[in-house]
Structure formats: C-alpha cells, structure tokens
mmCIF file of all heavy atoms in Angstrom:
data_model
loop_
_atom_site.group_PDB
_atom_site.id
_atom_site.type_symbol
_atom_site.label_atom_id
_atom_site.label_comp_id
_atom_site.label_asym_id
_atom_site.label_seq_id
_atom_site.Cartn_x
_atom_site.Cartn_y
_atom_site.Cartn_z
ATOM 1 N N ARG A 851 -1.683 19.695 6.242
ATOM 2 C CA ARG A 851 -2.692 19.406 5.338
ATOM 3 C C ARG A 851 -2.223 18.099 4.499
ATOM 4 O O ARG A 851 -2.967 17.539 3.839
ATOM 5 C CB ARG A 851 -3.016 20.461 4.432
ATOM 6 C CG ARG A 851 -3.736 21.648 5.031
ATOM 7 C CD ARG A 851 -5.032 21.335 5.644
ATOM 8 N NE ARG A 851 -5.811 22.515 5.933
ATOM 9 C CZ ARG A 851 -6.673 22.607 6.927
ATOM 10 N NH1 ARG A 851 -6.912 21.434 7.679
ATOM 11 N NH2 ARG A 851 -7.357 23.637 7.248
ATOM 12 N N LEU A 852 -0.869 17.895 4.403
ATOM 13 C CA LEU A 852 -0.341 16.968 3.536
ATOM 14 C C LEU A 852 -0.866 15.597 3.878
ATOM 15 O O LEU A 852 -1.215 14.821 3.061
ATOM 16 C CB LEU A 852 1.235 16.978 3.566
ATOM 17 C CG LEU A 852 1.837 15.990 2.708
ATOM 18 C CD1 LEU A 852 1.557 16.050 1.237
ATOM 19 C CD2 LEU A 852 3.364 16.042 2.862
ATOM 20 N N SER A 853 -0.920 15.246 5.162
ATOM 21 C CA SER A 853 -1.398 13.943 5.605
ATOM 22 C C SER A 853 -2.784 13.722 5.110
ATOM 23 O O SER A 853 -3.086 12.637 4.601
ATOM 24 C CB SER A 853 -1.334 13.820 7.105
ATOM 25 O OG SER A 853 -1.866 12.643 7.653
ATOM 26 N N PHE A 854 -3.733 14.737 5.246
ATOM 27 C CA PHE A 854 -4.983 14.597 4.787
ATOM 28 C C PHE A 854 -5.089 14.366 3.268
ATOM 29 O O PHE A 854 -5.875 13.524 2.829
ATOM 30 C CB PHE A 854 -5.849 15.841 5.159
ATOM 31 C CG PHE A 854 -7.305 15.785 4.785
ATOM 32 C CD1 PHE A 854 -8.224 14.968 5.512
ATOM 33 C CD2 PHE A 854 -7.725 16.484 3.634
ATOM 34 C CE1 PHE A 854 -9.540 14.981 5.041
ATOM 35 C CE2 PHE A 854 -9.076 16.585 3.272
ATOM 36 C CZ PHE A 854 -9.993 15.679 3.913
ATOM 37 N N ALA A 855 -4.200 15.242 2.531
ATOM 38 C CA ALA A 855 -4.246 15.055 1.053
ATOM 39 C C ALA A 855 -3.822 13.706 0.556
ATOM 40 O O ALA A 855 -4.396 13.213 -0.303
ATOM 41 C CB ALA A 855 -3.193 16.087 0.459
ATOM 42 N N GLU A 856 -2.848 13.001 1.275
ATOM 43 C CA GLU A 856 -2.405 11.674 1.040
ATOM 44 C C GLU A 856 -3.459 10.752 1.224
ATOM 45 O O GLU A 856 -3.633 9.745 0.481
ATOM 46 C CB GLU A 856 -1.085 11.309 1.819
ATOM 47 C CG GLU A 856 0.092 12.249 1.437
ATOM 48 C CD GLU A 856 1.340 11.914 2.384
ATOM 49 O OE1 GLU A 856 1.118 11.423 3.496
ATOM 50 O OE2 GLU A 856 2.444 12.127 1.977
ATOM 51 N N LYS A 857 -4.222 10.930 2.181
ATOM 52 C CA LYS A 857 -5.384 9.961 2.484
ATOM 53 C C LYS A 857 -6.451 10.162 1.412
ATOM 54 O O LYS A 857 -7.046 9.130 0.927
ATOM 55 C CB LYS A 857 -6.094 10.354 3.793
ATOM 56 C CG LYS A 857 -5.221 9.938 5.076
ATOM 57 C CD LYS A 857 -5.855 10.328 6.368
ATOM 58 C CE LYS A 857 -5.037 10.005 7.497
ATOM 59 N NZ LYS A 857 -5.578 10.448 8.750
ATOM 60 N N ILE A 858 -6.628 11.295 0.778
ATOM 61 C CA ILE A 858 -7.566 11.565 -0.295
ATOM 62 C C ILE A 858 -7.012 10.753 -1.567
ATOM 63 O O ILE A 858 -7.799 10.082 -2.180
ATOM 64 C CB ILE A 858 -7.736 13.024 -0.595
ATOM 65 C CG1 ILE A 858 -8.363 13.819 0.574
ATOM 66 C CG2 ILE A 858 -8.641 13.196 -1.826
ATOM 67 C CD1 ILE A 858 -9.777 13.330 0.878
ATOM 68 N N VAL A 859 -5.681 10.900 -1.731
ATOM 69 C CA VAL A 859 -5.165 10.243 -3.054
ATOM 70 C C VAL A 859 -5.330 8.759 -2.792
ATOM 71 O O VAL A 859 -5.586 8.098 -3.771
ATOM 72 C CB VAL A 859 -3.666 10.662 -3.020
ATOM 73 C CG1 VAL A 859 -3.001 9.937 -4.199
ATOM 74 C CG2 VAL A 859 -3.550 12.074 -3.412
ATOM 75 N N SER A 860 -5.057 8.311 -1.681
ATOM 76 C CA SER A 860 -5.240 6.817 -1.292
ATOM 77 C C SER A 860 -6.677 6.436 -1.682
ATOM 78 O O SER A 860 -6.917 5.302 -2.326
ATOM 79 C CB SER A 860 -4.903 6.570 0.115
ATOM 80 O OG SER A 860 -5.132 5.078 0.361
ATOM 81 N N ILE A 861 -7.726 7.248 -1.226
ATOM 82 C CA ILE A 861 -9.097 6.923 -1.525
ATOM 83 C C ILE A 861 -9.281 6.923 -3.020
ATOM 84 O O ILE A 861 -10.015 6.082 -3.576
ATOM 85 C CB ILE A 861 -10.054 7.894 -0.806
ATOM 86 C CG1 ILE A 861 -9.919 7.785 0.689
ATOM 87 C CG2 ILE A 861 -11.593 7.730 -1.346
ATOM 88 C CD1 ILE A 861 -10.771 8.738 1.397
ATOM 89 N N LEU A 862 -8.792 7.915 -3.695
ATOM 90 C CA LEU A 862 -8.946 7.994 -5.157
ATOM 91 C C LEU A 862 -8.435 6.709 -5.829
ATOM 92 O O LEU A 862 -8.989 6.300 -6.807
ATOM 93 C CB LEU A 862 -8.252 9.229 -5.753
ATOM 94 C CG LEU A 862 -8.797 10.610 -5.230
ATOM 95 C CD1 LEU A 862 -8.012 11.785 -5.732
ATOM 96 C CD2 LEU A 862 -10.252 10.727 -5.820
ATOM 97 N N ASN A 863 -7.303 6.283 -5.452
ATOM 98 C CA ASN A 863 -6.634 5.147 -6.037
ATOM 99 C C ASN A 863 -7.490 3.967 -5.895
ATOM 100 O O ASN A 863 -7.337 2.967 -6.687
ATOM 101 C CB ASN A 863 -5.232 4.889 -5.545
ATOM 102 C CG ASN A 863 -4.241 6.072 -6.015
ATOM 103 O OD1 ASN A 863 -4.453 6.642 -6.996
ATOM 104 N ND2 ASN A 863 -3.203 6.252 -5.243
ATOM 105 N N SER A 864 -8.189 3.891 -4.834
ATOM 106 C CA SER A 864 -8.950 2.536 -4.487
ATOM 107 C C SER A 864 -10.359 2.583 -5.061
ATOM 108 O O SER A 864 -11.008 1.516 -5.183
ATOM 109 C CB SER A 864 -9.198 2.579 -2.979
ATOM 110 O OG SER A 864 -9.956 3.584 -2.610
ATOM 111 N N LEU A 865 -10.799 3.740 -5.716
ATOM 112 C CA LEU A 865 -12.116 3.738 -6.378
ATOM 113 C C LEU A 865 -12.101 2.936 -7.649
ATOM 114 O O LEU A 865 -11.145 2.979 -8.363
ATOM 115 C CB LEU A 865 -12.524 5.150 -6.573
ATOM 116 C CG LEU A 865 -12.766 6.023 -5.219
ATOM 117 C CD1 LEU A 865 -13.147 7.466 -5.756
ATOM 118 C CD2 LEU A 865 -13.911 5.461 -4.478
ATOM 119 N N ASP A 866 -13.221 2.332 -7.993
ATOM 120 C CA ASP A 866 -13.415 1.590 -9.234
ATOM 121 C C ASP A 866 -13.274 2.650 -10.337
ATOM 122 O O ASP A 866 -14.147 3.538 -10.587
ATOM 123 C CB ASP A 866 -14.631 0.924 -9.171
ATOM 124 C CG ASP A 866 -14.826 -0.007 -10.393
ATOM 125 O OD1 ASP A 866 -14.112 -0.029 -11.338
ATOM 126 O OD2 ASP A 866 -15.957 -0.727 -10.465
ATOM 127 N N LYS A 867 -12.314 2.344 -11.273
ATOM 128 C CA LYS A 867 -12.074 3.342 -12.337
ATOM 129 C C LYS A 867 -13.207 3.098 -13.392
ATOM 130 O O LYS A 867 -13.252 3.919 -14.379
ATOM 131 C CB LYS A 867 -10.819 3.124 -13.091
ATOM 132 C CG LYS A 867 -10.457 1.795 -13.722
ATOM 133 C CD LYS A 867 -9.074 1.779 -14.275
ATOM 134 C CE LYS A 867 -8.786 0.509 -14.926
ATOM 135 N NZ LYS A 867 -7.340 0.481 -15.541
ATOM 136 N N GLU A 868 -13.972 2.139 -13.301
ATOM 137 C CA GLU A 868 -15.140 1.954 -14.227
ATOM 138 C C GLU A 868 -16.398 2.811 -13.861
ATOM 139 O O GLU A 868 -17.302 2.866 -14.577
ATOM 140 C CB GLU A 868 -15.541 0.509 -14.434
ATOM 141 C CG GLU A 868 -14.390 -0.478 -15.011
ATOM 142 C CD GLU A 868 -14.028 0.004 -16.326
ATOM 143 O OE1 GLU A 868 -14.924 0.324 -17.143
ATOM 144 O OE2 GLU A 868 -12.835 -0.215 -16.707
ATOM 145 N N ARG A 869 -16.374 3.335 -12.669
ATOM 146 C CA ARG A 869 -17.504 4.005 -12.168
ATOM 147 C C ARG A 869 -17.163 5.561 -11.979
ATOM 148 O O ARG A 869 -15.986 5.868 -12.009
ATOM 149 C CB ARG A 869 -17.897 3.539 -10.816
ATOM 150 C CG ARG A 869 -18.322 2.099 -10.911
ATOM 151 C CD ARG A 869 -18.775 1.537 -9.523
ATOM 152 N NE ARG A 869 -19.892 2.390 -8.972
ATOM 153 C CZ ARG A 869 -20.237 2.402 -7.687
ATOM 154 N NH1 ARG A 869 -19.616 1.586 -6.811
ATOM 155 N NH2 ARG A 869 -21.213 3.149 -7.227
ATOM 156 N N SER A 870 -18.168 6.410 -11.869
ATOM 157 C CA SER A 870 -18.004 7.811 -11.591
ATOM 158 C C SER A 870 -18.366 8.035 -10.100
ATOM 159 O O SER A 870 -19.199 7.365 -9.633
ATOM 160 C CB SER A 870 -18.720 8.604 -12.561
ATOM 161 O OG SER A 870 -20.155 8.391 -12.396
ATOM 162 N N PHE A 871 -17.699 9.104 -9.569
ATOM 163 C CA PHE A 871 -17.979 9.550 -8.202
ATOM 164 C C PHE A 871 -17.948 11.090 -8.078
ATOM 165 O O PHE A 871 -17.092 11.661 -8.911
ATOM 166 C CB PHE A 871 -16.988 8.916 -7.248
ATOM 167 C CG PHE A 871 -17.055 7.409 -7.196
ATOM 168 C CD1 PHE A 871 -16.203 6.682 -8.039
ATOM 169 C CD2 PHE A 871 -17.853 6.776 -6.344
ATOM 170 C CE1 PHE A 871 -16.195 5.267 -8.020
ATOM 171 C CE2 PHE A 871 -17.923 5.362 -6.279
ATOM 172 C CZ PHE A 871 -17.045 4.548 -7.105
ATOM 173 N N ILE A 872 -18.591 11.545 -7.237
ATOM 174 C CA ILE A 872 -18.622 13.041 -6.882
ATOM 175 C C ILE A 872 -18.231 13.136 -5.373
ATOM 176 O O ILE A 872 -19.021 12.637 -4.563
ATOM 177 C CB ILE A 872 -19.970 13.759 -7.161
ATOM 178 C CG1 ILE A 872 -20.318 13.609 -8.556
ATOM 179 C CG2 ILE A 872 -19.732 15.253 -6.806
ATOM 180 C CD1 ILE A 872 -21.717 14.252 -8.940
ATOM 181 N N ILE A 873 -17.087 13.668 -5.135
ATOM 182 C CA ILE A 873 -16.554 13.940 -3.771
ATOM 183 C C ILE A 873 -16.762 15.437 -3.414
ATOM 184 O O ILE A 873 -16.317 16.294 -4.133
ATOM 185 C CB ILE A 873 -15.189 13.554 -3.731
ATOM 186 C CG1 ILE A 873 -14.972 12.093 -4.008
ATOM 187 C CG2 ILE A 873 -14.596 13.811 -2.258
ATOM 188 C CD1 ILE A 873 -13.425 11.612 -4.095
ATOM 189 N N GLY A 874 -17.436 15.649 -2.298
ATOM 190 C CA GLY A 874 -17.585 17.030 -1.793
ATOM 191 C C GLY A 874 -16.556 17.228 -0.701
ATOM 192 O O GLY A 874 -16.497 16.500 0.364
ATOM 193 N N LEU A 875 -15.696 18.232 -0.874
ATOM 194 C CA LEU A 875 -14.688 18.594 0.129
ATOM 195 C C LEU A 875 -15.182 19.736 0.849
ATOM 196 O O LEU A 875 -15.036 20.929 0.391
ATOM 197 C CB LEU A 875 -13.281 18.764 -0.508
ATOM 198 C CG LEU A 875 -12.123 19.159 0.498
ATOM 199 C CD1 LEU A 875 -11.948 17.930 1.436
ATOM 200 C CD2 LEU A 875 -10.834 19.342 -0.434
ATOM 201 N N TYR A 876 -15.739 19.644 1.939
ATOM 202 C CA TYR A 876 -16.494 20.786 2.722
ATOM 203 C C TYR A 876 -15.518 21.375 3.769
ATOM 204 O O TYR A 876 -14.719 20.662 4.499
ATOM 205 C CB TYR A 876 -17.672 20.157 3.498
ATOM 206 C CG TYR A 876 -18.719 19.489 2.657
ATOM 207 C CD1 TYR A 876 -19.671 18.623 3.219
ATOM 208 C CD2 TYR A 876 -18.749 19.787 1.267
ATOM 209 C CE1 TYR A 876 -20.564 18.082 2.462
ATOM 210 C CE2 TYR A 876 -19.807 19.207 0.496
ATOM 211 C CZ TYR A 876 -20.638 18.235 1.111
ATOM 212 O OH TYR A 876 -21.657 17.652 0.412
ATOM 213 N N ALA A 877 -15.512 22.782 3.719
ATOM 214 C CA ALA A 877 -14.858 23.539 4.539
ATOM 215 C C ALA A 877 -15.181 25.005 4.427
ATOM 216 O O ALA A 877 -15.689 25.391 3.250
ATOM 217 C CB ALA A 877 -13.286 23.490 4.484
ATOM 218 N N SER A 878 -15.104 25.873 5.396
ATOM 219 C CA SER A 878 -15.427 27.282 5.344
ATOM 220 C C SER A 878 -14.532 27.977 4.486
ATOM 221 O O SER A 878 -13.319 27.644 4.237
ATOM 222 C CB SER A 878 -15.508 27.879 6.804
ATOM 223 O OG SER A 878 -14.386 27.714 7.460
ATOM 224 N N TRP A 879 -14.819 29.122 4.091
ATOM 225 C CA TRP A 879 -14.012 29.977 3.265
ATOM 226 C C TRP A 879 -12.675 30.285 4.017
ATOM 227 O O TRP A 879 -12.553 30.564 5.318
ATOM 228 C CB TRP A 879 -14.546 31.444 3.036
ATOM 229 C CG TRP A 879 -15.634 31.377 2.002
ATOM 230 C CD1 TRP A 879 -15.899 30.436 1.049
ATOM 231 C CD2 TRP A 879 -16.770 32.310 1.874
ATOM 232 N NE1 TRP A 879 -16.884 30.812 0.353
ATOM 233 C CE2 TRP A 879 -17.481 31.823 0.777
ATOM 234 C CE3 TRP A 879 -17.029 33.487 2.549
ATOM 235 C CZ2 TRP A 879 -18.584 32.585 0.259
ATOM 236 C CZ3 TRP A 879 -18.128 34.170 2.089
ATOM 237 C CH2 TRP A 879 -18.914 33.762 0.965
ATOM 238 N N GLY A 880 -11.512 30.290 3.313
ATOM 239 C CA GLY A 880 -10.236 30.619 3.825
ATOM 240 C C GLY A 880 -9.595 29.458 4.693
ATOM 241 O O GLY A 880 -8.628 29.760 5.330
ATOM 242 N N SER A 881 -10.187 28.331 4.864
ATOM 243 C CA SER A 881 -9.643 27.409 5.694
ATOM 244 C C SER A 881 -8.611 26.424 5.002
ATOM 245 O O SER A 881 -7.972 25.614 5.717
ATOM 246 C CB SER A 881 -10.763 26.546 6.280
ATOM 247 O OG SER A 881 -11.600 25.889 5.241
ATOM 248 N N GLY A 882 -8.342 26.649 3.725
ATOM 249 C CA GLY A 882 -7.436 25.860 3.041
ATOM 250 C C GLY A 882 -7.811 24.773 2.053
ATOM 251 O O GLY A 882 -7.072 23.831 1.826
#
C-alpha cells in the first residue's frame, strides 16, 4: 500500500492550496 499512499501524497502536494477539494478513497470493508 505504501506506493499508492506515496502517489496520494504527491497529488496532495500538487493541489492548489488556495482551493478546497474533497477526495473520495473508495474500497470495500476490510480492504485496508
């Protein structure tokens, strides 16, 4: 999961800090 988490952090760093965003992280129960 670390590789995916690092990509999320990279996306977060690239977002305009003057704007707001809602990110949905979709997965079934118990999948991590």
Side-chain angles (χ1 to χ4, degrees):
R851 298 294 193 209
L852 180 60
S853 175
F854 180 76
E856 289 176 339
K857 291 177 182 178
I858 296 294
V859 173
S860 178
I861 293 173
L862 293 173
N863 289 332
S864 67
L865 295 176
D866 184 355
K867 66 180 181 180
E868 299 296 327
R869 297 180 57 194
S870 64
F871 296 92
I872 302 178
I873 300 174
L875 182 59
Y876 298 160
S878 59
W879 286 339
S881 58

